């Protein structure tokens, strides 16, 4: 069977959108740097919405500040002044707060105005990273990726030598904190000194610390970002992270770059573990082999239910790629894969229809679907589809607790995911 990227008719608006803005992706990326102060160059409402969005998804206090641009300051005031005053006011208000870094990101308003966010850095003594993230372009995934690239280009110091056992992971935006932790743990089991940029595994993992919500609690440190060019290996996960890996290799061409579109299912994880084995010249630990066997068993146990079912899946391109690949590997039929934005990875997805759209577009395929995998906003639509199961993935998920500890990656996570969707399918098929 041949699959191709579908072209749906152009709509002048999105109805029930699944897309989120670039500044939101940038905020999330900065939260993976320890002690970072994410500063959105925007009106108060932009930052407030982002703060509420991530607070409800993670059930954690989210550190974010804004430059409080108003209609008057947008027209009459200089961008430099607004940013510098915001930083000064924040520090005066929180005397004990000492950010390790200022992470500035723009919005549509300030991008249209054309403020010189680069020049501001000459007036700031704290390490400063800026990224242009207009919300009229791209989405959550691209905002995250642009910010990671900016941190590498502006902070990481060039090097000519590498440490053979030092490795950095560049994860895509849809990987939850526990998933980044699990991927790091596998690399550490092979003897690597492992880093992740950004690293949400210690900042939004649900662990409560004093001062939470003022600055990014955990994550990779600024000094560690500066020294990333001494890594012998960079692993990018997700098509969106390829440019970030290329930016890092420019700092030291001696680095080896290994790329994976996702880490879901048997095939990609075999390649991932195989790459680590090749570098370290060693076999994986017994537990990794054990989980591989469990995944094989899960594929066998679940393929009767999944293989006879039809799916509609929506989400960020890199997440969509992994979900579709795993479901297809056990025989599931994907009637529609609906992406938030365009990405080259969409060409690799095996589905009857693959296109950029919204929940209104996805709804056309709900009548024939046994299961919809989408974010929280699909839940209210599916109330009228009693024969269709829902599994929530992606941003936001306001329906469930513990999103930061939900693992779909590697052999282990893929096993749990297959059983989760098979059990949900069993419920609707047996009840109706």
């Amino acid at each position: 069977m041949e699959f191709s990227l579908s072209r749906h008719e152009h709509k002048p608006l999105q109805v029930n959108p699944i897309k989120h803005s670039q500044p939101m992706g940038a905020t999330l990326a900065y939260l993976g740097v320890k002690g970072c102060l994410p500063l959105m160059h925007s009106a108060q409402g932009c930052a407030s919405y982002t703060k509420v969005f991530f607070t409800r998804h993670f059930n954690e206090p989210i550190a974010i500040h804004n430059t409080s641009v108003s209609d008057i300051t947008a027209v009459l005031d200089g961008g430099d002044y607004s940013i510098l005053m915001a930083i000064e006011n924040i520090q005066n208000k929180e005397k004990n707060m000492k950010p390790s870094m200022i992470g500035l990101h723009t919005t549509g308003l300030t991008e249209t105005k054309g403020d010189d966010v680069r020049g501001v850095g000459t007036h700031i003594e704290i390490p400063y990273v800026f990224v242009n993230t207009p919300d009229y372009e791209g989405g959550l995934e691209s905002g995250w990726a642009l910010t990671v690239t900016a941190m590498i280009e502006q902070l990481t110091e060039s090097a000519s030598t590498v440490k053979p056992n030092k490795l950095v992971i560049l994860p895509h935006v849809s990987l939850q904190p526990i998933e980044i932790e699990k991927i790091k743990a596998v690399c550490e089991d092979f003897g690597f000194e492992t880093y992740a940029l950004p690293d949400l595994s210690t900042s939004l993992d649900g662990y409560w610390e004093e001062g939470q919500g003022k600055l990014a609690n955990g994550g990779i440190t600024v000094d560690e970002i500066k020294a990333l060019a001494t890594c012998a290996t960079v692993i990018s996960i997700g098509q969106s992270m390829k440019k970030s890996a290329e930016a890092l290799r420019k700092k030291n061409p001696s680095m080896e770059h290994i790329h994976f579109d996702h880490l879901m299912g048997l095939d990609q994880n075999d390649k991932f573990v195989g790459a680590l084995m090749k570098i370290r010249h060693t076999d994986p630990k017994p537990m990794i082999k054990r989980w591989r066997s469990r995944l094989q068993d899960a594929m066998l146990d679940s393929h009767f239910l999944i293989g006879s079912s039809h799916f509609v899946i929506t989400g960020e391109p890199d997440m969509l790629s992994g979900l579709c690949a795993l479901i297809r590997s056990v025989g599931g039929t994907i009637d529609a894969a609906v992406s938030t934005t365009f990405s080259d990875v969409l060409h690799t997805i095996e589905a009857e229809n693959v296109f950029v759209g919204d929940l209104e577009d996805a709804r056309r395929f709900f009548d024939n679907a046994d299961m919809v995998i989408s974010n929280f906003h699909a839940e209210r639509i599916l109330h009228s589809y009693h024969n269709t199961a829902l599994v929530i993935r992606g941003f936001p998920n306001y329906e469930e607790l513990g999103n930061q500890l939900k693992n779909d990656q590697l052999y282990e996570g893929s096993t749990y995911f297959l059983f989760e969707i098979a059990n949900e399918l069993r419920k609707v098929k047996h009840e109706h």
Side-chain angles (χ1 to χ4, degrees), residues 257-421:
H257 175 211
I258 306 172
H259 174 76
F260 301 94
D261 284 344
H262 58 83
L263 290 181
M264 296 186 73
L266 199 62
D267 180 59
Q268 287 296 297
N269 280 296
D270 281 352
K271 291 177 180 176
F272 174 62
V273 173
L276 300 181
M277 290 171 63
K278 183 179 178 181
I279 297 170
R280 299 295 293 165
H281 305 289
T282 184
D283 289 336
K285 289 193 174 181
M287 189 51 68
I288 293 177
K289 296 180 180 179
R290 184 79 172 166
W291 273 113
R292 186 181 188 277
S293 297
R294 287 170 175 166
L295 175 56
Q296 287 177 308
D297 185 62
M299 294 172 74
L300 181 64
D301 292 346
S302 64
H303 92 273
F304 295 105
L305 274 165
I306 297 174
S308 61
S309 301
H310 290 255
F311 296 82
V312 175
I313 309 176
T314 77
E316 300 294 330
D318 288 337
M319 183 188 78
L320 204 60
S321 169
L323 292 173
C324 291
L326 181 54
I327 290 170
R328 283 287 302 161
S329 71
V330 285
T333 301
I334 302 168
D335 292 342
V338 187
S339 175
T340 54
T341 54
F342 176 76
S343 166
D344 287 337
V345 79
L346 299 183
H347 291 290
T348 69
I349 294 176
E350 295 184 359
E352 302 295 333
N353 296 275
V354 184
F355 59 91
V356 176
D358 53 35
L359 282 173
E360 182 186 55
D361 302 319
R363 189 170 184 172
R364 305 175 192 177
F365 302 92
F366 283 7
D367 288 328
N368 190 50
D370 298 293
M371 174 174 284
V372 172
I373 302 175
S374 183
N375 66 17
F376 161 82
H377 295 299
E379 192 263 347
R380 65 182 185 276
I381 299 174
L382 285 170
H383 281 309
S384 57
Y385 292 84
H386 302 295
N387 297 332
T388 305
L390 171 67
V391 168
I392 301 178
R393 286 296 187 273
F395 291 96
N397 184 355
Y398 302 152
E399 185 74 11
E400 299 170 337
L401 299 175
N403 295 312
Q404 62 270 48
L405 300 180
K406 188 173 289 184
N407 176 29
D408 297 331
Q409 306 301 310
L410 305 171
Y411 297 126
E412 179 183 352
S414 300
T415 300
Y416 285 129
F417 179 77
L418 287 178
F419 283 138
E420 179 183 353
I421 64 173

Side-chain angles (χ1 to χ4, degrees), residues 120-330:
V120 174
T122 60
H123 305 288
I124 300 174
E125 296 180 359
I126 302 168
Y128 170 80
V129 173
F130 69 91
V131 60
N132 300 98
T133 50
D135 40 22
Y136 48 76
E137 290 179 356
L140 190 76
E141 189 172 280
S142 60
W144 166 283
L146 286 168
T147 305
V148 176
T149 302
M151 287 192 280
I152 291 169
E153 291 177 342
Q154 297 171 41
L155 286 181
T156 303
E157 298 169 352
S158 297
S160 56
T161 59
V162 296
K163 295 182 179 179
N165 69 329
K166 188 175 179 182
L167 176 149
V168 60
I169 298 160
L170 304 179
H172 65 75
V173 70
S174 297
L175 292 180
Q176 296 299 320
I178 192 69
E179 295 175 325
I180 297 173
E181 179 181 285
K182 294 280 186 180
I183 295 167
K184 284 174 61 182
V186 169
C187 296
E188 287 165 356
D189 282 346
F190 275 93
F192 286 102
E193 177 189 343
T194 308
Y195 300 90
L197 177 67
D199 190 353
L200 299 181
S201 66
T202 53
S203 64
L204 289 174
D205 61 340
Y207 177 72
W208 181 263
E209 287 187 0
E210 186 179 350
Q212 199 158 353
K214 295 180 180 179
L215 299 172
N217 250 44
I220 189 170
T221 67
V222 172
D223 287 341
E224 288 167 345
I225 297 173
K226 289 180 178 178
L228 284 181
T230 59
C231 291
T233 309
V234 52
I235 295 179
S236 55
I237 305 171
Q239 188 80 217
S240 63
M241 303 308 295
K242 273 188 170 181
K243 288 184 178 179
S244 300
E246 290 166 4
L248 188 52
R249 284 201 72 243
K250 288 180 181 177
K251 298 288 183 174
N252 188 349
S254 302
M255 300 177 74
E256 181 184 5
H257 175 211
I258 306 172
H259 174 76
F260 301 94
D261 284 344
H262 58 83
L263 290 181
M264 296 186 73
L266 199 62
D267 180 59
Q268 287 296 297
N269 280 296
D270 281 352
K271 291 177 180 176
F272 174 62
V273 173
L276 300 181
M277 290 171 63
K278 183 179 178 181
I279 297 170
R280 299 295 293 165
H281 305 289
T282 184
D283 289 336
K285 289 193 174 181
M287 189 51 68
I288 293 177
K289 296 180 180 179
R290 184 79 172 166
W291 273 113
R292 186 181 188 277
S293 297
R294 287 170 175 166
L295 175 56
Q296 287 177 308
D297 185 62
M299 294 172 74
L300 181 64
D301 292 346
S302 64
H303 92 273
F304 295 105
L305 274 165
I306 297 174
S308 61
S309 301
H310 290 255
F311 296 82
V312 175
I313 309 176
T314 77
E316 300 294 330
D318 288 337
M319 183 188 78
L320 204 60
S321 169
L323 292 173
C324 291
L326 181 54
I327 290 170
R328 283 287 302 161
S329 71
V330 285

Side-chain angles (χ1 to χ4, degrees), residues 419-431:
F419 283 138
E420 179 183 353
I421 64 173
N423 285 325
E424 290 299 320
L425 285 168
R426 175 173 282 177
K427 288 178 186 178
V428 292
K429 291 191 174 186
H430 285 191
E431 290 176 6

Side-chain angles (χ1 to χ4, degrees), residues 14-209:
Q14 288 207 349
V15 181
N16 288 328
I18 52 175
K19 177 182 172 182
H20 309 298
S21 71
Q22 282 198 134
M24 296 174 71
T27 298
L28 192 58
Y30 282 136
L31 290 171
V33 179
K34 187 173 179 62
C36 178
L37 188 153
L39 182 60
M40 187 180 289
H41 190 28
S42 68
Q44 287 183 339
C46 301
S48 297
Y49 175 75
T50 301
K51 187 180 184 72
V52 171
F53 180 93
F54 286 127
T55 297
R56 292 184 67 188
H57 179 87
F58 290 108
N59 278 283
E60 303 295 334
I62 298 298
I64 180 173
H65 305 269
N66 72 90
T67 56
S68 192
V69 177
S70 66
D71 50 353
I72 296 174
T73 56
V75 175
L76 301 177
D77 199 6
D80 294 17
Y81 179 76
S82 297
I83 296 168
L84 293 171
M85 282 301 298
I87 295 170
E88 184 179 338
N89 290 337
I90 293 165
Q91 291 183 313
N92 287 339
K93 184 179 179 182
E94 302 288 349
K95 295 291 185 181
N96 297 325
M97 187 169 69
K98 296 181 179 179
S100 65
M101 182 182 98
I102 304 291
L104 185 85
H105 48 301
T106 60
T107 56
L109 174 65
T110 50
E111 278 292 312
T112 304
K113 183 171 179 278
D115 289 336
D116 179 20
V117 294
R118 179 193 296 270
V120 174
T122 60
H123 305 288
I124 300 174
E125 296 180 359
I126 302 168
Y128 170 80
V129 173
F130 69 91
V131 60
N132 300 98
T133 50
D135 40 22
Y136 48 76
E137 290 179 356
L140 190 76
E141 189 172 280
S142 60
W144 166 283
L146 286 168
T147 305
V148 176
T149 302
M151 287 192 280
I152 291 169
E153 291 177 342
Q154 297 171 41
L155 286 181
T156 303
E157 298 169 352
S158 297
S160 56
T161 59
V162 296
K163 295 182 179 179
N165 69 329
K166 188 175 179 182
L167 176 149
V168 60
I169 298 160
L170 304 179
H172 65 75
V173 70
S174 297
L175 292 180
Q176 296 299 320
I178 192 69
E179 295 175 325
I180 297 173
E181 179 181 285
K182 294 280 186 180
I183 295 167
K184 284 174 61 182
V186 169
C187 296
E188 287 165 356
D189 282 346
F190 275 93
F192 286 102
E193 177 189 343
T194 308
Y195 300 90
L197 177 67
D199 190 353
L200 299 181
S201 66
T202 53
S203 64
L204 289 174
D205 61 340
Y207 177 72
W208 181 263
E209 287 187 0

